[in-house]
Amino acid sequence: MPELPEVETVRRGLASVMEGAQFTKVEAHRGDLRWPLPKDFVQRLEGQTVERLDRRAKYLIAHLSSDEVLIMHLGMSGSFRVARRRGMQTPGHYYHARPSHSLHDHVVFQMSSDAVISFNDPRRFGMMKLVRRADLEKESLLSALGPEPLGKAFNSIVLARLLKGKKTSLKAALSDQKIVAGLGNIYVCEALHRARLSPVWRASSVATRLGRPNERTRELVAAIKAVLRDAIAAGGSSLRNHRRTDGALGDFQHNFRVYDRAGKPCPRRGCGGIIKRIVQTGRSTFFCPVCQK
Ligand SMILES: [Zn+2]
């Protein structure tokens, strides 16, 4: 499932072909993603210019010249693919030339930038929604989200307040989108290893009893930001590579420290621990029992 760095990589890839460009043609091949596509989806997009493409947590938010906003989510398996119309054998029908993908290409945007963007989602948990810009603040998908981890609003004071008295595990608390937006299984594991904190600790141990930050809170905030920044940087380099190949956005080679590395040595110099896998709230957790305690 894509997490924040992957979505940010997708945003950057799409921004370069969408921002300032007009939807010249929109094709909706299947109306049923996680929810049905908005009413008059094609008509509301065609002819509009994308003024800006933002991201909030794992949502992509395209501001349109019509004063509407297109909110997009990749769900479990969604991906975007960018192709160039110029020089293609069959302009406008490029997707038929890629049978392995055409089956799941639900939505295709032809942009005035000459890019053809297809949204492909085999499991159909992704979504697209149109709302008025004036209603964006109170949009229910976004209003319940916690602070954006790379923003200024996410700091040790805020995190300590959110974790105060929390009896759930640190892993479960950090996976909660109301506490930090956009973190998932992978980057929670990675950040906890970087901060030397055990995923099984009570979340409240990363704050004082009064909900003030302690040394652990500061370590954790720094680790979360560093892990995400590194992953976004890795995504940026993969974006350049993908551009030269098939135009797929967002799937890149990771170098995880603990995630999916059960039985392998801990990468922390001098630690000597072996990465362990446990199950918490139904999801795999990977950590080093030696340095994360
Ligand atoms: Zn270790």
mmCIF file of all heavy atoms in Angstrom, residues 193 266 268 271 273 288 290-292, ligand 1:
data_model
loop_
_atom_site.group_PDB
_atom_site.id
_atom_site.type_symbol
_atom_site.label_atom_id
_atom_site.label_comp_id
_atom_site.label_asym_id
_atom_site.label_seq_id
_atom_site.Cartn_x
_atom_site.Cartn_y
_atom_site.Cartn_z
ATOM 1 N N HIS A 193 12.775 2.239 14.634
ATOM 2 C CA HIS A 193 14.144 1.717 14.691
ATOM 3 C C HIS A 193 15.149 2.867 14.750
ATOM 4 O O HIS A 193 16.079 2.873 15.535
ATOM 5 C CB HIS A 193 14.436 0.820 13.480
ATOM 6 C CG HIS A 193 15.821 0.253 13.496
ATOM 7 N ND1 HIS A 193 16.859 0.827 12.812
ATOM 8 C CD2 HIS A 193 16.342 -0.819 14.162
ATOM 9 C CE1 HIS A 193 17.966 0.120 13.041
ATOM 10 N NE2 HIS A 193 17.677 -0.876 13.846
ATOM 11 N N CYS A 266 20.678 -6.543 12.447
ATOM 12 C CA CYS A 266 20.327 -5.129 12.605
ATOM 13 C C CYS A 266 21.394 -4.268 11.933
ATOM 14 O O CYS A 266 22.588 -4.501 12.124
ATOM 15 C CB CYS A 266 20.264 -4.794 14.097
ATOM 16 S SG CYS A 266 20.057 -3.031 14.419
ATOM 17 N N ARG A 268 22.259 -1.336 12.592
ATOM 18 C CA ARG A 268 22.919 -0.336 13.456
ATOM 19 C C ARG A 268 24.303 -0.839 13.829
ATOM 20 O O ARG A 268 24.467 -1.942 14.336
ATOM 21 C CB ARG A 268 22.079 -0.061 14.699
ATOM 22 C CG ARG A 268 22.746 0.941 15.628
ATOM 23 C CD ARG A 268 21.797 1.467 16.689
ATOM 24 N NE ARG A 268 20.940 2.502 16.136
ATOM 25 C CZ ARG A 268 19.624 2.489 16.119
ATOM 26 N NH1 ARG A 268 18.983 1.480 16.647
ATOM 27 N NH2 ARG A 268 18.947 3.467 15.598
ATOM 28 N N CYS A 271 25.451 -3.096 16.951
ATOM 29 C CA CYS A 271 24.286 -3.599 17.699
ATOM 30 C C CYS A 271 24.332 -5.124 17.822
ATOM 31 O O CYS A 271 24.250 -5.667 18.923
ATOM 32 C CB CYS A 271 22.977 -3.168 17.039
ATOM 33 S SG CYS A 271 21.530 -4.015 17.727
ATOM 34 N N GLY A 273 22.098 -7.220 16.986
ATOM 35 C CA GLY A 273 20.764 -7.823 17.103
ATOM 36 C C GLY A 273 20.287 -8.415 15.788
ATOM 37 O O GLY A 273 20.853 -8.154 14.730
ATOM 38 N N CYS A 288 14.269 -4.386 16.058
ATOM 39 C CA CYS A 288 15.442 -5.022 16.628
ATOM 40 C C CYS A 288 15.284 -5.075 18.127
ATOM 41 O O CYS A 288 15.253 -4.031 18.790
ATOM 42 C CB CYS A 288 16.710 -4.250 16.252
ATOM 43 S SG CYS A 288 18.160 -4.880 17.122
ATOM 44 N N VAL A 290 17.294 -5.750 20.344
ATOM 45 C CA VAL A 290 18.478 -5.355 21.100
ATOM 46 C C VAL A 290 18.571 -3.836 21.266
ATOM 47 O O VAL A 290 18.688 -3.316 22.368
ATOM 48 C CB VAL A 290 19.770 -5.922 20.452
ATOM 49 C CG1 VAL A 290 21.018 -5.420 21.181
ATOM 50 C CG2 VAL A 290 19.719 -7.445 20.448
ATOM 51 N N CYS A 291 18.469 -3.116 20.182
ATOM 52 C CA CYS A 291 18.653 -1.653 20.293
ATOM 53 C C CYS A 291 17.338 -0.872 20.427
ATOM 54 O O CYS A 291 17.357 0.316 20.710
ATOM 55 C CB CYS A 291 19.506 -1.108 19.148
ATOM 56 S SG CYS A 291 18.785 -1.303 17.507
ATOM 57 N N GLN A 292 16.212 -1.542 20.268
ATOM 58 C CA GLN A 292 14.934 -0.836 20.420
ATOM 59 C C GLN A 292 14.282 -1.249 21.720
ATOM 60 O O GLN A 292 13.316 -2.036 21.741
ATOM 61 C CB GLN A 292 13.989 -1.143 19.258
ATOM 62 C CG GLN A 292 14.412 -0.491 17.946
ATOM 63 C CD GLN A 292 13.487 -0.866 16.813
ATOM 64 O OE1 GLN A 292 13.784 -1.759 16.030
ATOM 65 N NE2 GLN A 292 12.352 -0.201 16.706
HETATM 66 ZN ZN ZN B 1 19.686 -3.204 16.674
#
